[in-house]
Structure formats: structure tokens, C-alpha cells
Amino acid sequence: MAAADSLPLLTPYKMGNFNLSHRYFIFRVVLAPLTRQRSYNNVPQPHAILYYSQRTSKGGLLITEATGVSDTAQGLLHTPGIWTKEQVEAWKPIVDAVHAKGGIFFCQIWHVGRVSNTVYQPNGQAPISSTDKPLTPQLRRNGIDVTQFSPPRRLRTDEIPHIVNDFRLAARNAIEAGFDGIEIHGAHGYLHEQFMKDKPNDRTDEYGGSLENRCRFTLDVVEAIVNEIGAERVGIRLSPFADYGECEASNPKELGLYMANALNKYGILYCHMVEPRIKLSGETVECPHGLVPMRKAFKGTFIAAGGYDRKDGINAIAENRADLVAYGRLFLANPDLPKRYELDAPLNKYKRETFYTDDPVLGYTDYPFLE
């Protein structure tokens, strides 16, 4: 058994200054944002109180599932939003439950862009994006069904500030709901990557072409949110090496470094980056220490994610490759993951087939704790 004070993943870390003594230090195991599709009609539900509070420990950082900034931001059934008063009010008891157990809670705000269909869009309109290039249909994880994406509509230059404002208002709503801060979802092929990465972005205005232009939209959003709620409450998630949603960067390292350096101008609290790990024939292929240059460039808290296990996380902290490590599927299936890591206890196996159902219990709040 490893004592908590000798296990790097469970040592205290000071992330900014929340001016709340009982949440001044946080521990290094973070709940990653995980889409669960149990927010019926885009409104968070009471069963989320149990789900998030189960995974809360004093000093723990939790990041919500991706939460839409507007009625055009949706691309999946039953994902939560934070653009209406009803949604804000529905989040409040969930946030209160996390705070009651001493946790720190950030709301991840997103816009899916072209990763959508007209059925999820207001008045059946086309999804909006940086481009009008459509996505090809994708086979779902069950190996049977196919996801169809509607051809997107390219945003006009004069419309982009309106989308920036949607993010600003969503951030303000998150603070009203009681969250400690927000995380901008700038990863995994959604709207921000549709601008940042050169494969999808075929624009010829000030939001396309050069690396600086392609990153402009995301940095506009960062600036607007910082001005609204303060830099100390803002984080961002990036995945420069990933190619989800046919969003690929021809030079991902250059993109990651540019963003790490550019974000320093705004003094945001943290940068949350996904490791360049890929799956080949079911096995993870590592790109060792791929985030180190970005970690060195960014001046705030650096969170690493991407298939980490206990040993990987310990090494990342011990070798100063990250300040915090975010866990997704393992935390989903092990609500007491920090305790299991402290004791080096066996882990529950996650049930992939229940990741994205709308059941309020099955595969959601029924994973067992250690006795």
C-alpha cells in the first residue's frame, strides 16, 4: 500500500487562488469531461447530483460533460446546455452537491459545429462551421448503426462575433449556476478545431489561412470569457494531435506550441491537453512525452489526459510532465478512483455499451465502491 503523502498523484497542488480555504489545494486526479447523454431535452437532471457527487472528494477537481453554449451547439441527444435560465437552475443543485463534499467544479462549454445533423438544430437549419465541407458518415461504436451528418453552413465573417458572444454568455451563466470556472472545449473535432486545424479550415478571411488566423476564433473566445469572468476561472482543452471528426492538423506540434504560448497572454488558469496516443488494432500506441514542449511553454497549470492509468499518472507527475492528470473511463467506472489509487486496489471494468444510454442509473451511478 502506498501512503497518500508519498504517491505523486495524491499530493496537494495549488491551482490558482480560489480564495476558499477548504478548496485552496487540490489533488492531482481529475475527473475528465465525459459525455453521458442523460440530460433530457438538454436540461441537466436530478440523477446527475448523485453521479457527480459520487466522484467528488475534498480537494478534487471535476470537469462536467460537454455543455452546449446555444441551441445551435448540439449534435447529440440529451446532452446538457447552459444557455437558458431553466438549464442554469437545473445545474445549481448539482454544483451544490459537489461543493458540499469539498470539490472544485468546472463546466466544460462546447459547440459541436458541423458534427451535427439538422434534427438537432433550431428550425431544422444546417449546422454551422468554419467550412461548408460535410463530414462523411461514421460507423457507431456498436458496429451496426451509422451516424449521418448534415452538410454544414460556412459562418460569415460578421457572424463569428455572435458565436464568441454565445461562449461569453455561457461562461457567465456557469458562474451564476455556482461553478468555480469553465473549460472551453477546444478539442476532438468540434467547432474550435474546425477553425484551428488546416484540414477542415478552408477560409480565406481573417479566420483562415495562416496559423495565427486559424487560431483567432478560439483566442477571441478566450479573451471574451476572461473579460467576463476573470482569467483565474478559465481553462481550455486542446487535442492538437487528434484527428476526430476529420479535423487534422498538418503540423500538430506547431499548433500545440502556438496555442500554449498564445494563451499565456490571457493568464488563464489551466491548459488541458490530450496526449498523442492512438489506437491500432485495439492497442494503444504511445508517442512518448509528446506534450512536454507545450507543458514547458504554458505558464499556468497543465493538465494531461489520454489513456492514463495509475502508473502513467504517477510517472507524469513525478517527471514534471504535468501538474494534474485527467481520467475519463476509469473514473466513470470507479467513482472512488483516488481512493483505489491510494490503496493500489483493483479497478471496476467499465461497460462501454452503457456509456451513451439515457438510463438514469445503469452504467451511470451503479458502479460499486470499495467496501
Side-chain angles (χ1 to χ4, degrees):
M1 184 193 311
D5 60 3
S6 65
L7 189 68
L9 274 173
L10 298 178
T11 53
Y13 172 79
K14 182 178 182 294
M15 185 178 75
N17 185 357
F18 287 92
N19 297 317
L20 295 171
S21 59
H22 70 290
R23 284 186 274 144
Y24 197 72
F25 291 95
I26 68 172
F27 295 98
R28 298 176 188 258
V29 177
V30 176
L31 175 67
L34 295 162
T35 292
R36 303 312 313 274
Q37 293 186 253
R38 289 163 167 88
S39 296
Y40 312 139
N41 298 316
N42 308 127
V43 178
Q45 297 295 306
H47 46 249
I49 297 172
L50 180 58
Y51 172 75
Y52 283 109
S53 63
Q54 281 181 334
R55 288 155 183 79
T56 304
S57 56
K58 186 174 182 179
L61 173 61
L62 297 83
I63 306 168
T64 70
E65 57 210 283
T67 301
V69 300
S70 71
D71 58 358
T72 69
Q74 305 306 111
L76 291 168
L77 191 64
H78 299 322
T79 53
I82 198 160
W83 72 87
T84 71
K85 183 67 175 176
E86 180 186 11
Q87 292 163 342
V88 171
E89 292 301 314
W91 274 118
K92 287 181 178 180
I94 304 168
V95 176
D96 288 346
V98 170
H99 284 165
K101 294 183 71 174
I104 299 167
F105 208 10
F106 271 54
C107 182
Q108 188 193 67
I109 55 177
W110 76 337
H111 194 300
V112 302
R114 67 176 181 170
V115 189
S116 187
N117 189 286
T118 56
V119 299
Y120 301 116
Q121 296 298 311
N123 304 314
Q125 67 191 35
I128 56 176
S129 180
S130 65
T131 179
D132 57 9
K133 291 188 291 188
L135 281 172
T136 55
Q138 294 178 3
L139 190 67
R140 293 183 182 173
R141 291 184 181 274
N142 62 16
I144 300 171
D145 300 318
V146 174
T147 300
Q148 300 284 347
F149 304 103
S150 300
R153 178 179 69 81
R154 184 194 308 269
L155 282 163
R156 300 189 314 268
T157 307
D158 66 298
E159 292 179 297
I160 293 175
H162 297 289
I163 310 303
V164 172
N165 194 53
D166 287 339
F167 276 89
R168 180 187 67 82
L169 293 174
R172 185 171 73 184
N173 287 344
I175 300 305
E176 182 184 340
F179 285 102
D180 297 292
I182 64 92
E183 177 179 283
I184 300 162
H185 194 343
H188 296 162
Y190 298 114
L191 184 61
H192 284 280
E193 283 207 334
Q194 292 159 34
F195 277 91
M196 282 189 286
K197 293 188 173 180
D198 53 345
K199 181 176 179 180
N201 188 335
D202 56 357
R203 302 179 71 91
T204 57
D205 62 1
E206 59 263 42
Y207 292 94
S210 69
L211 179 59
E212 179 181 4
N213 281 357
R214 286 185 278 112
C215 294
R216 189 183 307 278
F217 166 66
T218 299
L219 295 175
D220 284 352
V221 168
V222 171
E223 182 174 30
I225 292 175
V226 164
N227 289 339
E228 182 68 35
I229 66 172
E232 72 280 3
R233 296 180 181 273
V234 179
I236 190 169
R237 194 180 211 207
L238 301 170
S239 59
F241 297 92
D243 60 359
Y244 293 103
E246 298 170 23
C247 274
E248 186 176 352
S250 58
N251 192 333
K253 183 177 179 181
E254 180 186 37
L255 172 60
L257 273 172
Y258 178 85
M259 285 298 296
N261 282 297
L263 290 166
N264 288 329
K265 171 185 173 183
Y266 304 99
I268 65 171
L269 182 64
Y270 72 75
C271 181
H272 178 186
M273 278 206 185
V274 181
E275 284 277 5
R277 304 180 183 205
I278 58 174
K279 294 282 188 180
L280 292 177
S281 302
E283 295 191 7
T284 300
V285 178
E286 306 253 356
C287 298
H289 308 170
L291 299 183
V292 169
M294 297 79 175
R295 194 273 195 276
K296 290 180 177 178
F298 183 69
K299 298 186 185 305
T301 293
F302 193 85
I303 305 175
Y308 278 83
D309 59 17
R310 181 178 184 273
K311 180 180 178 182
D312 291 337
I314 290 171
N315 290 340
I317 301 300
E319 296 168 9
N320 198 31
R321 290 187 277 114
D323 297 306
L324 310 172
V325 178
Y327 290 87
R329 290 168 291 182
L330 296 183
F331 220 148
L332 179 157
N334 297 274
D336 54 352
L337 186 67
K339 186 68 174 179
R340 290 176 189 260
Y341 277 180
E342 177 186 346
L343 302 175
D344 199 12
L347 300 182
N348 301 322
K349 293 183 179 179
Y350 54 80
K351 309 179 191 79
R352 187 182 294 278
E353 66 275 11
T354 65
F355 281 2
Y356 308 115
T357 73
D358 59 7
D359 192 291
V361 175
L362 183 65
Y364 191 57
T365 55
D366 61 346
Y367 283 102
F369 289 73
L370 288 171
E371 295 182 0

